Amino acid sequence: MAGMTRRTGKSKEETLIEMSEAGSPSGEENNGYHSTLDSGSQHDDAKVDKQQQSKDSVYFRDGKRRIDFVLSYVEDKDDRKQERRKLYEANMQKAGLELELEDKSESEDGKTFFLKIHAPWEVLATYADVLKIKVPFKVNDIPENREIPVGWLFTPLRLPDHVMHPDPDYFTSSFDSNKHDFFLIEDKETFFPNSTRNRIVYYILSRCPYNKEDRLNKDKRGIKRLLNNGTYTSAFPLHDCRYWVKSRDPNCESERYSLYRYWARFFRFYKEQPLNLVRKYYGEKIGIYFAWLGFYTEMLFYAAVVGLICFIYGVATYDNTVWTKEICDKDIGGEIVMCPLCDKKCGFWKLNSTCNSTWQSHLFDNTATVFFAIFMGIWVTLFLEFWKRRQARLGYEWDLVDFEEEQQRLQLRPEYETKCTSRRLNRVTQEMEPYFPVTSKCARLCLSGATVLFWISLIIASIIGVIAYRLAVFAALASVMKDSPTNKLELVGSLITPQLATSVTASCINFVIIMLLNFLYERVAIWITDMEVPKTHVEYENKLTVKMFLFQFVNYYSSCFYVAFFKGKFVGYPGKYTYMFHISNLRNEECDPGGCLIELTTQLVIVMTGKQVWGNIQEALLPWLKNWWSSRNARSHPESLYSRWEQDYDLQNFSQFGLFYEYLEMVIQFGFITLFVASFPLAPLLALMNNILEVRVDAWKLTTQFRRPVAAKAHSIGAWDEILNLIAVFSVVTNAFIVAFTSDMIPRLVYFYAYHPGTELTMQGYVNNSLSVFKISQISTESTPDPGENPAWFNSSVITTCRYRDYRYPPGHEHEYSHTMQFWHILAAKMAFIIIMEHVVFVVKFFVAWLIPDVPSDVQARVKRERYLVQEYLHNYEVDKLKKQLNQKGEEGQCICPEIAATVKHEVLSECLT
C-alpha cells in the first residue's frame, strides 16, 4: 500500500477511500447486513423475541459482534434521503463495516430505525495502521519510583487500584498490520479498546461517500453532511451499560458504572479522579481536560488559603485603622461637608455618612493587598510550570509523546478536503494534498476579522450604555434617598446607599447583557470559523478558541476594567467638571466615597458568581430536564425492552464544542482570579468551591446525561495553554495598576512617610489632608443643587466651602485649584510602585520558570528508555523473522541471496560476541 501511494502520488486516506469504493480491505464481501435488509420475510425471521432476549446489550443479535457505532433515521417519503442512505450504507459495507438494522417497529416511538455498525478485525487493523495508533508489545519492566512521603495520609483520598489503573503498563509502538505477531494480541475482539474502535469507525464514516462510483463528487461525503441534511438523525457510539447498574453480560466491561460509582457523584468530591479509566472510556482529549481541571482545582487550594488569610487580616485590623475612625467620628467626619456628587439632583452631604462603605472597603484595601497581588503573580507561574510537568507525565503514560506531528499530518478535516478544489505536492511527504488558494483564504480572514471587530464594538456600546444608566440612576436615587428612607429597614437599611444601589443594579444589568451577547456571538463565531475552512481539527479549534476568548475577554472584563481604571479618574473638580461625550448633561462618575476598590469588588463578585451559578444550572439542570422529558414513556419499560441504543438515543448529544465551552468557562474564571484578584482576595476561594462542584458536575453530566462522545486524541490543552500564559503576564500589570490607582494604598504611604504632622510617623490627619477645599459660591449654576435637594442641616450662609477628593490648592491661593506638589509626589510614587512590582514579580516568575524543567527528569529517562527498547525489539523481531524465512527457504532448496545471507551472518556473529 505504501508503494502504491508513492507511485500514484496519492495520500493513504485517498487510497483507502478508493479501496472502500472497490471493496473491503480484506477483499471479502460483508455478510453482516443482508439478514436485516433483505426481504420482509427475512427481516421478520431475524427479529428477536423481546421476551426471550434482553435488548440492553452492546452486541449484534448473534451476541458476538460488538456494536461500535449506531446511526438512526426516521423513514420519510423523501426519495433523495432514501437514495443517500442506500448508497452510503453500501459504501460502508465496501469499506469492510458490518451492519445490522433494527426495524422501526422495534423502537419506542414506532418510527425510528437504528443501524448498528461493527468493525471487524481486518478493518480495525487496516485503519489502526493508517492512524498510527499505538498498541502494547511488551509489559513495561521499568520500576516505578514515585513514592510519596507520608503517603498513608492520603489513603482516604485513594480509589481502588482496578479503577485507577484499569490496564497494566505496557511498552507501546505504532500498530503495523504486517507485524501482527510482534504485538501482544491475546484476543482480537478486545485488543483495541472501545474508545479506539469508535474512533476508527467515525474516521471511516466521516470520509465515506454517499454517491455512485460513476458520479464522483467530493462534496457528497461524510456522516456530518448527512446529519446536517437530515438523512440521519443521530450518530453515536454506545455506552457499555446503564450507569447505575452493571451490565448483565459478563463480556461487557461496565466501565460506565465504575465511572459513575467512583467519579461522577458529588459525595466523591474528596477522592482522586480515575484519569486512566476516563482516558480509556472517553479518549485522551476528554481525559486531558479532567486532568487539567483537577490540577487547577488543587492549585486553587493554596491561593484560596492565602487569600482567606489576607481577608482575615483585614477583619482583624478592622478597628485599628486611623482614617476609618476619623471618617466615622462625628467631630471629624461629621463636620466635613462634601460637594455634591452629581448635578442638580445631588445635595451637599457629610463625610461620616460613608462610614459603612469605608469599613467595607478596608476589608479588601489594606496592607495585605500588596502582598497578595505579588503572591498571585508567583502562584500563577507555579501553576503553569507544574502543569507543564504534569502534562508531560500524562503524555508519556498515555502514549502522546509523538502525537502532535501525526495529528497534523493525518487528521485533515473532511470539510477541508471537500471544499478544496486545488491540490499541490507536499514537499515533506511528497504526496498530493488539498490546497486552499491564498487569495480566497485572505478574503475569508478579512471578513472574519471585520465580524469580530463589529461584535466587540457592540460590547463597548453596551458598556457605554451601562455607564449612562449609572449616571442617570445615581442622580435619581440620590434625590429619592436624600432623607434616607431605607434606614427604616431592619439590618440592611443603613447599608443601602445611592452608590451601592446603583453599582449593584448596574452590575446585574451588565451581567444580563453579557449572557445575551454570549448567546448570540457563539453562533456567529462558529459560522465565521467554518467559513475560514481550517485545514485540521487542531487548527479549527485554535481559530475558534481565539475568536471566542477575544470576544468573551472584552465581554466579561470590560466593565471591571472601567471601574478599576477609568471610573473616578476623569471627574475634574467642582468648578470644572468633565462630562460624558462633552455634549451630554451626564457628569462623569465619581468613585464611591469609600473608594473605587469596593465597587470593583462588587462588580467582580456579581459577574463572577452569577456566571458560575448560571453555568452550573445550564450544564446540569437543562440536560437533566431534557432527558427526563424525552424518556418519560420508556422509563416504565423493563430493561429487556428498552434497548441500549434507544437509551443512548434519548440522551443529549455531546457536541464537538462540548469541551471547548468547558475550557472557556474555566479560563474566564482564571482571568477573574488573576487579573483583578488584588481587589478581592476571596476570589480564589469562590473559584475553589465552584470547581470542586464543577469537576463532579462535568463528570456526572458526561456519564449520565450525554451520549458517549467519539474518542479523540490530544497531547495538551491546545491553544488554551498560550492564553493562560498571556493572562498570567497581563495579570501582573493589572494588579500593579489596581494597587497603585484604584486602591488608596500609595496615597496613605506617601502621607505616612512624607506629609504626616509632627516628628512621629502617624496617620492622624490623613482624611483632612486627602480632601481639597472649594468655594461654594464658585459652583456653576448647572451644577448647583435644585431647591429642596439639600439636607435640612445645610445653611448656605454659614457653610461657604465644601470638600472633594483630590490634591488641589484652596481658593485664594496663587495657584488656585491647580494640583499641589503632593499630587505629583503621589503620582510619582504610583508609577515607581508599578515599575518595581512588575520587575520584582517578572524576575521571580522567570526565575521560577527557569528553575522548574517542563519535563520531569524521570519522564525524560523513561521516554528515552522506551524508544531504545522499541528499536531493539523491532530490530530483533526483524532479524528473527528473516532467519525463519531463510531457514524455510534453505529447507525447501531455494537460492538465498548472498547479500541477505551475509547480513544474517553478521547479526548472528554480533549476538554471539555480545
Side-chain angles (χ1 to χ4, degrees):
M1 185 169 61
M4 178 173 62
T5 302
R6 285 193 295 271
R7 287 195 300 271
T8 60
K10 297 179 181 179
S11 66
K12 286 185 177 180
E13 296 173 11
E14 292 176 296
T15 305
L16 285 171
I17 293 299
E18 291 178 358
M19 291 171 60
S20 71
E21 293 172 355
S24 67
S26 60
E28 300 177 358
E29 286 297 324
N30 184 286
N31 60 1
Y33 191 54
H34 71 278
S35 63
T36 56
L37 290 184
D38 285 350
S39 63
S41 60
Q42 288 177 327
H43 176 72
D44 291 338
D45 294 339
K47 285 185 179 179
V48 176
D49 186 351
K50 292 184 178 182
Q51 305 302 323
Q52 299 296 325
Q53 182 175 347
S54 172
K55 294 179 69 178
D56 188 29
S57 172
V58 293
Y59 291 92
F60 276 17
R61 293 192 183 111
D62 58 14
K64 298 179 180 179
R65 292 173 294 174
R66 190 180 188 102
I67 302 172
D68 296 312
F69 227 86
V70 174
L71 306 181
S72 68
Y73 63 90
V74 177
E75 190 175 48
D76 49 35
K77 297 181 180 180
D78 190 336
D79 294 335
R80 291 180 300 176
K81 292 182 180 179
Q82 295 179 16
E83 181 67 15
R84 290 191 204 113
R85 283 194 293 267
K86 181 179 178 181
L87 294 172
Y88 188 66
E89 290 162 9
N91 287 328
M92 280 195 288
Q93 287 183 279
K94 290 180 180 179
L97 299 178
E98 299 177 2
L99 313 178
E100 185 175 78
L101 183 68
E102 289 289 329
D103 191 76
K104 63 182 180 180
S105 61
E106 302 285 334
S107 63
E108 170 62 33
D109 57 11
K111 57 183 180 181
T112 303
F113 290 87
F114 291 94
L115 182 65
K116 299 174 287 185
I117 302 173
H118 169 75
W121 168 255
E122 292 79 8
V123 174
L124 295 173
T126 300
Y127 283 91
D129 191 353
V130 171
L131 295 175
K132 302 298 180 186
I133 293 174
K134 290 189 175 183
V135 293
F137 69 91
K138 183 182 183 299
V139 176
N140 193 335
D141 56 3
I142 300 178
E144 185 75 27
N145 296 320
R146 292 178 58 192
E147 295 184 3
I148 302 175
V150 294
W152 57 272
L153 291 175
F154 301 96
T155 302
L157 309 180
R158 302 296 185 201
L159 290 175
D161 193 62
H162 73 277
V163 176
M164 286 300 297
H165 304 284
D167 291 322
D169 192 12
Y170 293 103
F171 288 127
T172 59
S173 177
S174 297
F175 186 77
D176 189 337
S177 56
N178 296 320
K179 300 175 181 176
H180 288 185
D181 52 339
F182 176 72
F183 302 101
L184 298 178
I185 304 177
E186 296 180 1
D187 185 353
K188 291 183 177 180
E189 293 300 319
T190 60
F191 179 66
F192 293 107
N194 297 325
S195 57
T196 301
R197 296 175 67 102
N198 71 56
R199 177 183 162 213
I200 291 175
V201 173
Y202 184 75
Y203 182 87
I204 299 173
L205 296 181
S206 63
R207 285 157 175 78
C208 191
Y210 55 90
N211 57 343
K212 295 182 179 179
E213 296 179 15
D214 57 344
R215 301 179 193 170
L216 188 59
N217 186 342
K218 293 198 125 186
D219 283 339
K220 295 186 176 181
R221 178 177 294 177
I223 186 61
K224 188 175 181 180
R225 294 181 65 86
L226 292 174
L227 290 171
N228 291 338
N229 60 34
T231 303
Y232 291 98
T233 56
S234 65
F236 53 91
L238 289 181
H239 284 295
D240 58 3
C241 66
R242 299 189 176 194
Y243 65 85
W244 64 88
V245 64
K246 285 187 176 181
S247 174
R248 294 182 178 179
D249 191 334
N251 296 323
C252 189
E253 300 84 357
S254 296
E255 291 172 345
R256 186 190 187 194
Y257 168 76
S258 297
L259 287 171
Y260 175 72
R261 179 181 177 186
Y262 295 103
W263 179 54
R265 293 194 289 182
F266 177 72
F267 292 108
R268 294 275 180 175
F269 71 90
Y270 62 93
K271 294 285 188 179
E272 60 184 336
Q273 296 189 80
L275 294 177
N276 288 324
L277 184 58
V278 174
R279 173 245 183 169
K280 181 183 177 184
Y281 191 75
Y282 290 115
E284 288 80 2
K285 190 171 184 179
I286 290 178
I288 208 82
Y289 163 72
F290 280 101
W292 176 81
L293 180 57
F295 183 79
Y296 171 46
T297 304
E298 291 173 17
M299 291 295 292
L300 272 177
F301 173 79
Y302 305 104
V305 169
V306 177
L308 182 61
I309 292 173
C310 292
F311 178 76
I312 293 174
Y313 172 82
V315 175
T317 58
Y318 195 73
D319 296 324
N320 299 328
T321 51
V322 176
W323 56 89
T324 53
K325 290 182 177 180
E326 289 184 348
I327 291 175
C328 296
D329 193 325
K330 64 178 181 179
D331 295 327
I332 301 176
E335 297 297 327
I336 298 177
V337 177
M338 302 294 292
C339 299
L341 294 174
C342 65
D343 295 342
K344 296 296 184 180
K345 297 298 181 181
C346 298
F348 295 92
W349 51 284
K350 290 185 177 181
L351 184 60
N352 65 346
S353 64
T354 64
C355 181
N356 288 325
S357 62
T358 303
W359 287 116
Q360 296 164 14
S361 180
H362 173 73
L363 296 177
F364 308 106
D365 187 6
N366 52 65
T367 308
T369 301
V370 180
F371 166 77
F372 191 61
I374 295 174
F375 168 81
M376 288 301 294
I378 300 172
W379 173 88
V380 73
T381 303
L382 292 172
F383 163 63
L384 294 175
E385 291 302 317
F386 283 129
W387 166 245
K388 290 178 184 177
R389 293 170 61 83
R390 175 72 170 135
Q391 190 171 253
R393 190 176 296 279
L394 285 175
Y396 165 74
E397 294 174 353
W398 292 357
D399 298 320
L400 302 171
V401 175
D402 302 319
F403 173 69
E404 182 177 13
E405 182 180 350
E406 297 168 8
Q407 177 162 343
Q408 293 288 349
R409 185 175 72 251
L410 295 172
Q411 297 191 7
L412 294 179
R413 296 177 65 240
E415 295 84 357
Y416 178 83
E417 295 176 308
T418 57
K419 291 184 179 181
C420 288
T421 57
S422 305
R423 308 185 75 78
R424 68 177 179 182
L425 183 68
N426 187 314
R427 295 183 179 181
V428 177
T429 62
Q430 291 298 306
E431 296 177 353
M432 298 300 293
E433 65 178 10
Y435 167 69
F436 211 66
V438 176
T439 53
S440 178
K441 186 181 295 185
C442 290
R444 292 168 183 263
L445 287 174
C446 290
L447 179 58
S448 173
T451 305
V452 174
L453 290 176
F454 169 76
W455 279 87
I456 289 178
S457 65
L458 285 182
I459 299 174
I460 297 173
S462 68
I463 294 299
I464 294 174
V466 173
I467 294 172
Y469 166 85
R470 286 173 175 269
L471 299 174
V473 169
F474 175 73
L477 291 177
S479 178
V480 172
M481 300 172 66
K482 63 180 182 293
D483 296 325
S484 300
T486 56
N487 285 340
K488 298 177 182 178
L489 299 175
E490 295 183 2
L491 298 178
V492 298
S494 60
L495 302 178
I496 300 177
T497 62
Q499 293 88 350
L500 179 62
T502 302
S503 180
V504 170
T505 55
S507 298
C508 292
I509 292 173
N510 186 64
F511 174 72
V512 173
I513 294 174
I514 286 172
M515 303 310 296
L516 180 61
L517 288 176
N518 274 348
F519 175 78
L520 297 174
Y521 180 76
E522 284 176 4
R523 287 144 184 81
V524 175
I526 294 172
W527 173 74
I528 59 179
T529 306
D530 289 336
M531 181 190 63
E532 292 178 15
V533 196
K535 185 175 181 179
T536 64
H537 294 283
V538 172
E539 185 180 349
Y540 182 91
E541 290 188 5
N542 289 346
K543 285 179 176 290
L544 183 62
T545 298
V546 171
K547 292 180 182 65
M548 285 296 295
F549 178 75
L550 180 62
F551 176 83
Q552 293 216 5
F553 183 91
V554 179
N555 199 17
Y556 278 107
Y557 303 146
S558 54
S559 57
C560 292
F561 273 104
Y562 164 73
V563 175
F565 306 122
F566 295 97
K567 184 177 180 181
K569 307 300 186 295
F570 309 99
V571 177
Y573 58 95
K576 192 178 180 180
Y577 284 120
T578 305
Y579 290 82
M580 192 176 181
F581 302 123
H582 301 287
I583 57 174
S584 65
N585 60 353
L586 296 176
R587 200 170 94 194
N588 282 354
E589 274 190 292
E590 294 190 40
C591 288
D592 186 281
C596 272
L597 196 72
I598 190 64
E599 293 195 51
L600 177 59
T601 302
T602 303
Q603 179 78 22
L604 184 65
V605 169
I606 290 177
V607 176
M608 179 180 173
T609 306
K611 182 183 183 305
Q612 293 181 164
V613 171
W614 173 252
N616 286 324
I617 293 175
Q618 195 175 26
E619 290 179 16
L621 187 59
L622 291 182
W624 181 81
L625 289 174
K626 291 178 181 178
N627 291 336
W628 177 84
W629 180 257
S630 63
S631 62
R632 61 191 184 282
N633 295 326
R635 283 194 299 272
S636 60
H637 292 179
E639 180 180 306
S640 60
L641 302 184
Y642 195 21
S643 65
R644 162 80 4 239
W645 43 92
E646 283 186 283
Q647 293 174 38
D648 286 8
Y649 179 73
D650 288 339
L651 299 177
Q652 297 299 301
N653 180 45
F654 191 82
S655 71
Q656 61 175 323
F657 305 113
L659 276 188
F660 170 80
Y661 293 122
E662 300 296 343
Y663 274 119
L664 184 61
E665 178 186 5
M666 289 295 102
V667 171
I668 292 297
Q669 181 203 83
F670 182 79
F672 277 124
I673 68 166
T674 54
L675 294 173
F676 308 102
V677 75
S679 67
F680 187 47
L682 293 181
L685 181 61
L686 292 180
L688 174 64
M689 292 188 294
N690 174 80
N691 287 9
I692 290 174
L693 178 65
E694 181 78 20
V695 172
R696 304 302 162 176
V697 167
D698 287 348
W700 173 81
K701 71 179 184 182
L702 192 64
T703 306
T704 67
Q705 303 302 309
F706 283 93
R707 298 170 187 163
R708 186 175 183 174
V710 179
K713 294 180 79 70
H715 72 290
S716 67
I717 61 176
W720 300 112
D721 200 7
E722 291 300 321
I723 290 175
L724 290 173
N725 279 287
L726 290 174
I727 292 176
V729 173
F730 195 40
S731 67
V732 177
V733 180
T734 56
N735 283 300
F737 272 85
I738 287 174
V739 174
F741 288 97
T742 309
S743 166
D744 286 334
M745 183 66 60
I746 304 301
R748 292 172 192 155
L749 292 175
V750 171
Y751 177 83
F752 184 72
Y753 288 106
Y755 288 89
H756 63 276
T759 57
E760 294 184 3
L761 296 178
T762 179
M763 289 299 295
Q764 296 289 342
Y766 168 73
V767 171
N768 186 65
N769 175 267
S770 64
L771 299 174
S772 298
V773 181
F774 193 83
K775 197 172 183 178
I776 293 178
S777 60
Q778 293 179 339
I779 297 178
S780 63
T781 55
E782 292 80 6
S783 300
T784 303
D786 288 336
E789 296 297 338
N790 287 323
W793 52 261
F794 181 77
N795 187 340
S796 58
S797 60
V798 177
I799 302 174
T800 58
T801 60
C802 62
R803 310 294 293 273
Y804 60 97
R805 288 173 58 95
D806 208 341
Y807 294 91
R808 295 180 183 271
Y809 288 110
H813 193 277
E814 60 177 335
H815 300 295
E816 183 179 66
Y817 303 134
S818 62
H819 284 120
T820 64
M821 187 56 66
Q822 185 176 354
F823 169 84
W824 300 109
H825 287 167
I826 291 174
L827 182 61
K830 289 180 178 180
M831 300 307 297
F833 171 82
I834 292 173
I835 294 172
I836 293 172
M837 178 179 169
E838 287 181 357
H839 280 71
V840 168
V841 175
F842 279 133
V843 167
V844 174
K845 281 169 63 70
F846 292 136
F847 176 75
V848 169
W850 170 81
L851 190 64
I852 303 174
D854 292 347
V855 181
S857 57
D858 64 312
V859 172
Q860 289 180 330
R862 292 168 73 89
V863 169
K864 292 178 181 179
R865 170 70 175 164
E866 180 167 340
R867 285 175 175 170
Y868 166 75
L869 290 177
V870 168
Q871 292 178 352
E872 183 181 26
Y873 275 86
L874 280 172
H875 174 265
N876 294 337
Y877 170 81
E878 294 292 348
V879 171
D880 292 341
K881 186 176 181 181
L882 189 56
K883 287 179 183 178
K884 291 179 182 178
Q885 291 176 352
L886 292 175
N887 291 335
Q888 183 178 1
K889 288 183 178 181
E891 292 173 359
E892 295 174 356
Q894 299 180 15
C895 179
I896 301 175
C897 178
E899 289 81 1
I900 297 179
T903 302
V904 175
K905 183 179 180 181
H906 175 73
E907 296 292 347
V908 173
L909 289 173
S910 298
E911 291 177 4
C912 293
L913 291 174
T914 55

